[in-house]
Amino acid sequence: MPITAAEERAFYDNVYSRFLALPDEQLRVDRQVMLRTWNDPRQPQYERRRLYMAVMARLEAHLRPGLRVLDYGCGPADWGVWLATEGAEVTLLDLSPAAVELGVRRAGASGVTVRGEARDASDLSCFRDGEFDLVYASAAVHHTLKYPHAFAELVRVIRPGGVLLLAETYGNNPLLNGARKLRAAVQGEAEEQGEEIILGDAEIAQLRGAFASVQLHELHLLAMGKRLLRGKLHLAWARRLVEAAESLDASLLRALPSLRRYCGEVVIEAVR
Ligand SMILES: C[S@@+](CC[C@H](N)C(=O)[O-])C[C@H]1O[C@@H](n2cnc3c(N)ncnc32)[C@H](O)[C@@H]1O
């Protein structure tokens, strides 16, 4: 049985409400805080640092004061709060009220203001058609697209010429997908973590049908082996292995671009 929105909300409320007890100092976000976290091998975000750096570069290419941004499925809202500190006019959206409360508090702790909307992405009637210049979703659309109307609503709130930017796990590689399912089963991962719904060709085709242009930036083929080293990346030998795989990937993907579709992570930029 597929999980319901209520189950997903309860799961993420439980995850995020724990952070609400933290002092403001630990909730503050800005560019420096994000870069420091990604580059710290003891932090879980280290594993995705190259994906995050690629996304940050794309977001920075669009940033200007007053840019109307929706952080879609914002979770702890690092991205939305960071963009607000860079002068964007940010709205946070998440199914989980705890996520939105956390994001609004983090914005306050970072010296900026954001709007927060706790609601299901399948009904965005609180937003006008074309209300946003840019919608950014980090590891979120693979949660929302399974809900009816969510895709149509996502497209509707982006202005013509506006941008949808996605950072996602990429799901065209059957070996990687099998390994992900196995790991989720072995580790008893909750279904709500969404590992079973992975963005791939079908969703890209859906995007191409609704947007004027869709560009993909695929990352990590052999370097997806980093998943096997989770919890060990604070060790120098483990980091060296991942770096070696990353540089092998760079040569391999340059020589054989057709392998890009089998990478494990992707940044997608679609212009409406
Ligand atoms: C894996 S988390 C990613 C959070 C954040 N974007 C990040 O990168 O850290 C997925 C988020 O999607 C949210 N979500 C799941 N289903 C949703 C829905 N139907 N509508 C809005 N948000 C949803 C969850 O509450 C959760 O915060």
Side-chain angles (χ1 to χ4, degrees):
M1 273 246 295
I3 52 165
T4 64
E7 285 166 333
E8 202 153 357
R9 181 184 301 113
F11 175 85
Y12 281 103
D13 268 348
N14 182 43
V15 171
Y16 300 129
S17 53
R18 286 176 233 157
F19 298 101
L20 286 167
L22 291 174
D24 275 7
E25 176 50 30
Q26 287 179 42
L27 295 178
R28 200 175 57 78
V29 188
D30 62 20
R31 192 174 194 277
Q32 286 313 107
V33 169
M34 290 177 83
L35 291 173
R36 208 181 313 125
T37 309
W38 302 342
N39 287 312
D40 180 350
R42 292 161 304 179
Q43 300 294 336
Q45 292 91 336
Y46 179 83
E47 190 189 301
R48 290 199 147 199
R49 73 198 187 292
R50 293 183 72 243
L51 176 71
Y52 293 155
M53 295 296 292
V55 169
M56 185 178 250
R58 290 316 305 151
L59 285 168
E60 285 178 337
H62 295 288
L63 254 174
R64 56 172 168 75
L67 185 78
R68 297 166 304 162
V69 176
L70 177 65
D71 185 353
Y72 178 98
C74 63
D78 301 66
W79 290 99
V81 176
W82 162 60
L83 288 164
T85 66
E86 300 284 343
E89 198 182 287
V90 174
T91 301
L92 306 177
L93 167 87
D94 203 283
L95 181 61
S96 153
V100 173
E101 187 184 344
L102 178 61
V104 170
R105 251 200 74 199
R106 297 190 82 189
S110 311
V112 290
T113 313
V114 294
R115 170 181 172 190
E117 291 288 345
R119 62 193 295 137
D120 188 329
S122 53
D123 171 15
L124 299 182
S125 52
C126 57
F127 303 132
R128 297 185 311 276
D129 292 0
E131 179 150 348
F132 298 101
D133 300 308
L134 189 148
V135 174
Y136 173 56
S138 164
V141 293
H142 73 270
H143 287 269
T144 61
L145 292 187
K146 63 183 178 291
Y147 296 109
H149 313 301
F151 183 72
E153 282 291 82
L154 175 61
V155 178
R156 182 184 67 77
V157 300
I158 303 173
R159 71 163 167 80
V163 173
L164 173 67
L165 196 68
L166 307 177
E168 276 293 343
T169 305
Y170 204 19
N172 288 325
N173 186 328
L175 278 178
L176 276 177
N177 291 348
R180 283 172 180 136
K181 286 204 170 103
L182 186 65
R183 199 206 58 233
V186 169
Q187 295 183 346
E189 224 168 58
E191 201 182 330
E192 287 84 343
Q193 282 175 258
E195 286 287 335
E196 84 292 358
I197 321 147
I198 300 162
L199 208 83
D201 281 348
E203 291 76 15
I204 304 288
Q206 197 179 11
L207 285 171
R208 291 198 196 283
F211 287 83
S213 76
V214 177
Q215 286 193 331
L216 309 179
H217 174 51
E218 306 88 342
L219 294 102
H220 299 137
L221 189 60
L222 302 174
M224 287 309 289
K226 65 188 176 168
R227 293 287 174 92
L228 299 171
L229 297 168
R230 231 174 227 179
K232 295 194 177 64
L233 292 171
H234 59 288
L235 301 169
W237 66 263
R239 287 200 301 281
R240 274 201 293 275
L241 265 180
V242 173
E243 283 158 18
E246 285 168 355
S247 59
L248 261 176
D249 275 351
S251 313
L252 195 60
L253 296 173
R254 218 177 7 253
L256 298 168
S258 56
L259 291 181
R260 288 184 179 278
R261 65 183 301 278
Y262 298 111
C263 284
E265 293 168 359
V266 66
V267 178
I268 301 171
E269 184 164 344
V271 178
R272 189 164 171 220

